[in-house]
Amino acid sequence: MKKLLILLAVGFTFASCSTTKPSGDKSMIELSGKIQKPGMTTYQYGSHTIQSGDKTYALKSTAVNLDTFEDKEVVLKGTKVPGYPVENGPELIEVKEVKIK
Protein backbone atom coordinates (compact mmCIF):
# COMPACT_ATOMS: atom_id res chain seq x y z
CA MET A 1 0.00 0.00 0.00
CA LYS A 2 2.85 2.38 0.87
CA LYS A 3 4.50 1.72 -2.50
CA LEU A 4 1.21 2.43 -4.28
CA LEU A 5 0.88 5.79 -2.55
CA ILE A 6 4.45 6.71 -3.46
CA LEU A 7 3.88 5.71 -7.08
CA LEU A 8 0.67 7.73 -7.21
CA ALA A 9 2.42 10.79 -5.75
CA VAL A 10 5.25 10.48 -8.29
CA GLY A 11 2.73 9.98 -11.10
CA PHE A 12 0.73 13.05 -10.13
CA THR A 13 3.94 15.08 -9.89
CA PHE A 14 4.93 14.15 -13.45
CA ALA A 15 1.39 14.69 -14.71
CA SER A 16 1.30 18.21 -13.30
CA CYS A 17 4.54 19.15 -15.06
CA SER A 18 4.14 20.21 -18.65
CA THR A 19 6.36 21.36 -21.43
CA THR A 20 4.46 23.65 -23.75
CA LYS A 21 5.73 25.14 -26.92
CA PRO A 22 5.80 28.91 -27.12
CA SER A 23 2.76 30.19 -28.96
CA GLY A 24 4.99 31.87 -31.54
CA ASP A 25 4.02 35.15 -33.16
CA LYS A 26 0.28 34.40 -33.13
CA SER A 27 -0.25 36.64 -30.11
CA MET A 28 2.15 39.39 -31.27
CA ILE A 29 0.55 42.71 -32.09
CA GLU A 30 2.05 45.75 -33.77
CA LEU A 31 1.14 49.30 -32.77
CA SER A 32 2.29 52.66 -34.05
CA GLY A 33 2.07 56.03 -32.37
CA LYS A 34 3.80 58.22 -29.79
CA ILE A 35 4.96 56.69 -26.50
CA GLN A 36 4.17 58.90 -23.51
CA LYS A 37 4.19 58.81 -19.70
CA PRO A 38 0.61 58.30 -18.49
CA GLY A 39 0.53 60.88 -15.69
CA MET A 40 -2.51 60.64 -13.37
CA THR A 41 -4.82 57.76 -14.32
CA THR A 42 -7.76 55.86 -12.85
CA TYR A 43 -5.96 52.58 -13.56
CA GLN A 44 -2.71 51.61 -11.85
CA TYR A 45 -0.73 49.63 -14.42
CA GLY A 46 1.75 50.26 -17.20
CA SER A 47 4.72 52.59 -17.19
CA HIS A 48 3.85 54.29 -20.49
CA THR A 49 0.99 54.64 -22.97
CA ILE A 50 0.62 54.75 -26.72
CA GLN A 51 -2.26 56.16 -28.75
CA SER A 52 -2.66 53.94 -31.79
CA GLY A 53 -5.55 54.84 -34.04
CA ASP A 54 -8.44 55.81 -31.78
CA LYS A 55 -7.40 53.49 -28.93
CA THR A 56 -5.00 53.98 -26.01
CA TYR A 57 -2.85 51.11 -24.74
CA ALA A 58 -0.89 50.85 -21.48
CA LEU A 59 2.66 49.61 -21.95
CA LYS A 60 5.21 47.79 -19.84
CA SER A 61 8.47 46.13 -20.80
CA THR A 62 11.27 44.10 -19.33
CA ALA A 63 13.05 43.90 -22.70
CA VAL A 64 13.09 47.58 -23.73
CA ASN A 65 13.70 50.80 -21.81
CA LEU A 66 10.56 52.71 -22.82
CA ASP A 67 11.93 55.98 -21.40
CA THR A 68 14.35 56.01 -24.36
CA PHE A 69 11.42 56.30 -26.79
CA GLU A 70 9.31 58.78 -24.83
CA ASP A 71 7.64 61.48 -27.02
CA LYS A 72 8.82 59.76 -30.21
CA GLU A 73 6.75 58.29 -33.04
CA VAL A 74 7.44 54.56 -33.00
CA VAL A 75 6.30 51.18 -34.21
CA LEU A 76 6.31 48.58 -31.46
CA LYS A 77 5.69 44.86 -31.22
CA GLY A 78 4.40 43.15 -28.12
CA THR A 79 1.85 40.83 -26.61
CA LYS A 80 -1.40 41.52 -24.78
CA VAL A 81 -1.15 40.71 -21.06
CA PRO A 82 -3.98 38.38 -19.99
CA GLY A 83 -6.43 39.77 -17.43
CA TYR A 84 -6.42 43.34 -18.75
CA PRO A 85 -8.09 45.79 -19.11
CA VAL A 86 -9.23 46.34 -15.54
CA GLU A 87 -10.98 49.30 -13.87
CA ASN A 88 -12.18 50.52 -17.30
CA GLY A 89 -8.55 51.12 -18.25
CA PRO A 90 -6.74 50.30 -21.48
CA GLU A 91 -5.35 46.95 -22.59
CA LEU A 92 -1.86 46.23 -21.23
CA ILE A 93 0.87 45.36 -23.71
CA GLU A 94 4.20 43.69 -22.83
CA VAL A 95 6.56 45.41 -25.30
CA LYS A 96 9.20 43.19 -26.91
CA GLU A 97 10.59 45.51 -29.60
CA VAL A 98 10.46 49.22 -30.50
CA LYS A 99 11.58 50.99 -33.68
CA ILE A 100 11.53 54.74 -34.33
CA LYS A 101 9.50 55.69 -37.41
Side-chain angles (χ1 to χ4, degrees):
M1 183 70 171
K2 192 174 186 180
K3 288 182 183 181
L4 179 62
L5 290 175
I6 292 172
L7 287 174
L8 281 173
V10 170
F12 283 125
T13 302
F14 282 117
S16 67
C17 297
S18 67
T19 55
T20 58
K21 292 182 181 179
S23 60
D25 289 346
K26 292 180 184 177
S27 62
M28 272 294 206
I29 62 168
E30 188 173 288
L31 301 171
S32 60
K34 188 182 282 191
I35 292 180
Q36 297 183 333
K37 285 277 193 186
M40 294 279 291
T41 64
T42 57
Y43 56 92
Q44 298 294 313
Y45 54 88
S47 63
H48 293 77
T49 60
I50 189 168
Q51 179 79 29
S52 184
D54 60 347
K55 196 168 180 183
T56 300
Y57 297 87
L59 307 175
K60 73 172 191 164
S61 182
T62 56
V64 179
N65 182 357
L66 295 174
D67 288 331
T68 306
F69 299 98
E70 200 172 307
D71 295 322
K72 295 181 178 148
E73 289 288 332
V74 299
V75 175
L76 64 83
K77 290 182 182 180
T79 56
K80 291 182 181 180
V81 178
Y84 291 88
V86 295
E87 301 174 9
N88 297 322
E91 292 186 57
L92 180 60
I93 307 298
E94 173 69 38
V95 179
K96 305 293 183 189
E97 178 183 322
V98 180
K99 292 183 183 176
I100 296 176
K101 276 188 174 180

